[in-house]
Amino acid sequence: MIKLDKKLKVGILGATGMVGQRFITLMDNHPWFETVCLAASPRSAGKTYEEAVGDRWKMQIPMPEAVKNMIVHNVNEVEEVASQVDFVFSAVDMTKEEIKAIEEEYAKTETPVVSNNSAHRWTEDVPMVVPEINPEHYEVIKYQKERLGTTRGFVAVKPNCSIQSYAPVLTAWKKFEPVEVIATTYQAISGAGKTFKDWPEMVGNIIPFIGGEEEKSEQEPLKLWGKVEDGVIKKATSPTITTQCIRVPVLDGHTAAVFVKFAKKPSKEELIQALKEFSGKPQELELPSAPKQFIQYLEEDNRPQVALDVNYENGMGVSVGRLREDIVYDYKFVGLSHNTLRGAAGGAVLSAEMLVAEGYIEAK
């Protein structure tokens, strides 16, 4: 495991929202990173973090003592926030255009931005990375720096939470050449930044629409599997993915029911073996947030279950079960991932660790 001489100083943009809160809990006692600056909207600025959040603390664990009395900065005062930190995590709640602009503004102060937001996912020279799948996409950062005119500042993003329960699985099966995929995702309410207290109408309810989610679920895996060419990321052209995304009355955990057609016809045993053996650079480098076993395969017919499996590997692993042959497609399976850990803040923290390990983020 890599050891740092001293912890890197972290700022959290959008610190009062649900993903910002998750970042705060993940930074508490992190071996490499330390939260030194919290930023949020002008209405929170000047208050202590505890005052700014008020009764809107949504995590199931208490607010860490270390942040309660920190004074919240105005996220728009970019120079002031950037001067205090080595890099920032971004979870700001703004329009897409505003997010794009402010993240690049931070990058131009020579402050790397590791973003949970979707605004820059399709910017051609911004790497969108799941560290076990496509860390080589960080190569595109050098071209982004040329565009921004920076030496150490850049923006890196992580993909949507909805794809984490099937994109890693399909990556593990790449050698069998998946050509067609149908996925229906059953998505937790925390993916909308809500708890049941905020959203009582979700109790006992299902909503068959999540704005923009199906397009992200179909297209983002193709960027993960793309290649860096001529200074940009060119997305892969296959497999063809079609999805439906449904909001279900679950607090944390996105489940996916997936059908796959392969160009090469693997056996069930070969598929399960490929899942168990699948790992990447985070495991090799023993990064602090990396799951030891990225994907687990569960033999029981009634698994994976949110109640039993969502926190597998501290919420950073993927659980797969019910793999069986299909009469229309070749195989079908059920996947499960934690949407605010692996799918959101945890995935961004793992990306930041990878960027440190690869030399892209260091102390100013």
Side-chain angles (χ1 to χ4, degrees), residues 130-206:
V130 173
E132 287 89 349
I133 294 177
N134 61 325
E136 68 282 0
H137 283 193
Y138 291 135
E139 289 164 27
V140 85
I141 287 170
K142 65 178 177 232
Y143 302 105
Q144 185 194 144
K145 286 175 175 175
E146 285 168 18
R147 174 173 65 84
L148 296 175
T150 59
T151 55
R152 76 186 292 285
F154 62 87
V155 179
V157 299
K158 49 147 287 303
N160 199 43
C161 51
S162 63
I163 72 171
Q164 312 284 341
S165 46
Y166 59 90
V169 178
L170 297 172
T171 308
W173 292 342
K174 224 170 180 173
K175 63 186 171 193
F176 306 118
E177 296 176 21
V179 288
E180 280 183 34
V181 177
I182 297 177
T184 302
T185 57
Y186 302 90
Q187 299 187 202
I189 63 171
S190 58
K194 308 274 194 191
T195 63
F196 286 110
K197 184 178 142 199
D198 312 321
W199 205 0
E201 59 269 40
M202 270 310 299
V203 177
N205 191 21
I206 280 177

